[in-house]
Amino acid sequence: VAQEAVGLARHYRCVGIGVGPANLSLASLIHSHSDITNLFLDKKDSFGWHDGQQIPGSTIQVSMLKDLVSLSEPTSGFSFLAYLTELGRIYHFLNAQFETVPRQEFRNYMEWACRKNENIVFGHEVQSVDFTNVFHITTNTMTVTADNVVIGVGVQPSVPPAARPHLGPRQFHISEFMAKSKDLGGLRVGVVGGGQSGAEAFLDLVSRPDESLPRRVVWISRRPNYLPIDDSPFTNDYYSPNYSDYFARLDSATRQALNARHILTSDGISEATLRLIYQRIYTRRFVDGCADLVALYPNRTVVEVSSAPGSAWRLALAHNEHEAVSESIELDVVIWATGYRPTPLTFLAPMQGRLEREGDEYKIDDSFAVTWDGPTENNIFLQNAARGQRGLADQNLSLNAWRSQRILDRLRGVRTEHQVDPFIEWVTKPATGDLQDDQP
Ligand SMILES: Cc1cc2nc3c(=O)[nH]c(=O)nc-3n(C[C@H](O)[C@H](O)[C@H](O)COP(=O)(O)OP(=O)(O)OC[C@H]3O[C@@H](n4cnc5c(N)ncnc54)[C@H](O)[C@@H]3O)c2cc1C
Ligand SMILES: NC(=O)c1ccc[n+]([C@@H]2O[C@H](COP(=O)([O-])OP(=O)(O)OC[C@H]3O[C@@H](n4cnc5c(N)ncnc54)[C@H](OP(=O)(O)O)[C@@H]3O)[C@@H](O)[C@H]2O)c1
């Protein structure tokens, strides 16, 4: 039996599928609860966090307190501060006065949390989950059983249909940036996508030393301009437990409308990155004399991709405000920074008919458990796969520790959460006459 050969049991209270920040948070919080036997499986050979686009100089977009555990269990040995302390670099970190933590350092922290946790194993791709009395989780090499399953398989790269036939060494998604963007010196390079990924790629390309600097760097975005993330205090309340619960109780149409309206609170570009980009363009053009290095094309959608004479590509662009005008651009290399989509949960196929859906998502309850026709003590929990029901925060690092705590509480049959009321009255209050009635 394969799992015994590698020292694994046959049955667990909880099996996690995927070890990105979401399930790693739960694996860290659950670690001290030895009564809840658990195993977390990931298909990768070892831990990684979007390593293909670990662009030098990039930083995380949230507070370092939004680590795996701190916002629900600040005394945990799996916190970012515990990592810095254990490695003897806490004073160095403090004195470095980072405004935001380097993304590579946050990744290294999560890798450290994996290494400390004997319940995490890599090299196991889950292929199916079925239920008869218990869940049967089958990977490429073994089957284990569990009373509960927690899915955290995250996101996968997305490119527009027009690009798909052309993907290869000279046309690729940003998730392959580190491997495929090395030799771009002297070439015409296009970045498509006006989110943080596109911004970081553009900044990297225009910052390269002369010998490896592209001849031209074109940045295309469908958004009207290169728009910033809104990281201000009241906006950040959207990324709090209180708001997440409020949001979940709204009707579906309102939830979809709010997600569309608030997209830049999640997917806008960090102001620091925008400033660096603008300054770099200024320096290139007016100080270094590279007059035509940069071309900026916001407010346009790439609608067609074809081969141009030689080895180049031709992109056809539709301008959002001048639909009758068609533009085209010739490029040697195209980098698609066109986002990510939820990883399809194909391994749930054997149970498909038993799980309730809401639109294109599985319907979840307050503890992130999928609504189904099975026993209430057996559950499939979903992390980062319910944006439509839980809002934009669902895919973000902000609520990781809180969401994992909710799941853990459900497994333990307790409620440990403590949140005082938000400053904002999100929930309507039935009229009671005089507003003064509410005053202390
Ligand atoms: C470049 C980048 C930077 C980001 N930076 C931030 C940030 O600073 N702040 C922020 O709030 N958000 C950030 N995000 C958004 C979000 O926090 C990340 O996408 C985060 O990685 C999501 O975590 P996750 O655990 O849900 O999924 P993922 O990190 O995608 O992890 C999912 C894991 O599941 C595994 N898996 C998939 N299928 C299977 C299977 N069948 N069997 C076993 N394992 C499987 C995968 O190998 C992977 O390791 C960033 C996103 C990107 C792309
Ligand atoms: N350092 C960091 O912390 C870091 C780094 C990278 C990413 N992230 C996070 O990861 C998440 C994903 O970011 P992302 O930048 O990869 O994706 P994203 O925010 O979804 O941005 C994708 C962009 O591509 C555009 N697009 C899609 N198809 C297009 C087409 N055919 N023509 C022109 N433009 C097109 C989209 O336009 P529309 O908006 O109109 O759809 C959008 O501007 C975000 O939450 C981001 O904050 C964080």
Side-chain angles (χ1 to χ4, degrees):
V1 178
Q3 64 266 45
E4 285 164 353
V6 287
L8 301 177
R10 282 163 180 273
H11 182 79
Y12 294 87
R13 271 292 309 285
C14 172
V15 164
I17 304 175
V19 184
N23 260 352
L24 184 53
S25 165
L26 179 62
S28 304
L29 289 172
I30 215 172
H31 190 257
S32 58
H33 297 272
S34 51
D35 52 322
I36 307 178
T37 56
N38 64 90
L39 178 72
F40 287 78
L41 305 163
D42 197 288
K43 66 180 180 182
K44 291 200 199 97
D45 293 335
S46 57
F47 180 77
W49 185 43
H50 303 302
D51 286 350
Q53 69 173 95
Q54 232 0 304
I55 300 175
S58 62
T59 62
I60 62 167
Q61 282 185 304
V62 289
S63 156
M64 67 172 193
L65 290 179
K66 292 180 170 178
D67 65 13
L68 297 168
V69 290
S70 291
L71 294 187
S72 60
E73 199 183 312
T75 54
S76 164
F78 287 95
S79 68
F80 185 62
L81 282 184
Y83 161 75
L84 295 174
T85 311
E86 203 169 296
L87 271 65
R89 58 176 78 153
I90 184 91
Y91 283 93
H92 307 75
F93 180 83
L94 206 56
N95 292 344
Q97 299 184 359
F98 292 113
E99 267 176 42
T100 43
V101 180
R103 222 157 69 68
Q104 180 69 35
E105 178 64 337
F106 208 67
R107 176 224 177 273
N108 293 347
Y109 149 64
M110 291 193 278
E111 186 181 44
W112 163 89
C114 278
R115 278 201 307 272
K116 269 167 70 102
N117 192 332
E118 67 286 359
N119 301 325
I120 295 174
V121 291
F122 288 93
H124 290 279
E125 176 165 11
V126 172
Q127 294 173 339
S128 80
V129 177
D130 206 349
F131 186 83
T132 33
N133 303 319
V134 286
F135 291 106
H136 295 255
I137 301 111
T138 302
T139 75
N140 44 333
T141 59
M142 64 177 187
T143 297
V144 290
T145 58
D147 300 326
N148 296 277
V149 171
V150 188
I151 298 171
V153 293
V155 290
Q156 64 181 30
S158 165
V159 295
R164 284 175 206 155
H166 306 291
L167 294 180
R170 293 293 187 192
Q171 224 181 112
F172 51 87
H173 187 263
I174 179 87
S175 57
E176 299 180 286
F177 188 81
M178 296 313 288
K180 292 186 171 173
S181 73
K182 288 193 175 76
D183 302 316
L184 303 180
L187 300 177
R188 298 164 299 175
V189 183
V191 176
V192 184
Q196 183 67 23
S197 294
E200 288 176 5
F202 179 84
L203 179 60
D204 180 89
L205 293 168
V206 297
S207 306
R208 293 187 173 189
D210 285 353
E211 60 280 10
S212 50
L213 188 66
R215 171 148 68 86
R216 198 160 167 76
V217 185
V218 179
W219 189 12
I220 301 160
S221 173
R222 191 157 61 191
R223 294 179 189 161
N225 198 340
Y226 303 103
L227 297 172
I229 196 165
D230 182 348
D231 194 22
S232 55
F234 288 103
T235 298
N236 266 326
D237 260 23
Y238 295 144
Y239 295 80
S240 68
N242 281 313
Y243 186 80
S244 177
D245 282 342
Y246 163 74
F247 184 93
R249 284 166 182 71
L250 298 171
D251 66 75
S252 166
T254 307
R255 283 188 258 122
Q256 308 318 316
L258 284 174
N259 277 351
R261 193 192 307 159
H262 295 156
I263 191 74
L264 291 176
T265 67
S266 158
D267 293 353
I269 303 169
S270 295
E271 209 174 311
T273 313
L274 286 173
R275 202 173 301 121
L276 277 174
I277 288 174
Y278 207 98
Q279 290 169 355
R280 197 60 46 84
I281 295 173
Y282 181 100
T283 314
R284 283 302 189 196
R285 183 153 171 194
F286 298 125
V287 181
D288 303 339
C290 301
D292 65 349
L293 172 67
V294 165
L296 300 174
Y297 289 90
N299 219 1
R300 286 144 172 106
T301 306
V302 176
V303 287
E304 217 177 283
V305 183
S306 53
S307 304
S311 59
W313 306 105
R314 181 172 291 133
L315 303 189
L317 310 182
H319 193 291
N320 296 342
E321 286 150 14
H322 306 280
E323 284 170 18
V325 184
S326 61
E327 295 173 307
S328 95
I329 293 184
E330 270 192 29
L331 298 164
D332 302 305
V333 175
V334 186
I335 301 169
W336 296 95
T338 39
Y340 288 81
R341 296 287 171 271
T343 305
L345 307 180
T346 46
F347 48 77
L348 288 180
M351 305 192 51
Q352 202 72 260
R354 307 190 62 177
L355 310 173
E356 206 176 311
R357 292 191 74 90
E358 187 184 297
D360 54 4
E361 295 175 352
Y362 287 105
K363 187 169 169 51
I364 54 165
D365 66 16
D366 263 8
S367 306
F368 297 86
V370 179
T371 312
W372 76 310
D373 65 1
T376 47
E377 63 275 20
N378 299 109
N379 282 296
I380 296 178
F381 297 92
L382 271 191
Q383 305 232 53
N384 183 5
R387 217 182 200 205
Q389 297 166 78
R390 278 282 163 180
L392 300 168
D394 201 48
Q395 68 156 34
N396 192 269
L397 298 178
S398 296
L399 293 181
N400 267 355
W402 166 77
R403 185 176 55 196
S404 294
Q405 187 70 43
R406 272 241 171 135
I407 295 170
L408 178 56
D409 277 3
R410 174 78 164 264
L411 293 174
R412 295 175 62 213
V414 297
R415 183 80 172 199
T416 59
E417 212 173 294
H418 173 63
Q419 310 283 339
V420 298
D421 289 345
F423 294 154
I424 298 173
E425 302 284 1
W426 296 114
V427 182
T428 50
K429 298 206 162 166
T432 54
D434 192 343
L435 272 178
Q436 292 294 327
D437 289 352
D438 285 347
Q439 304 300 317

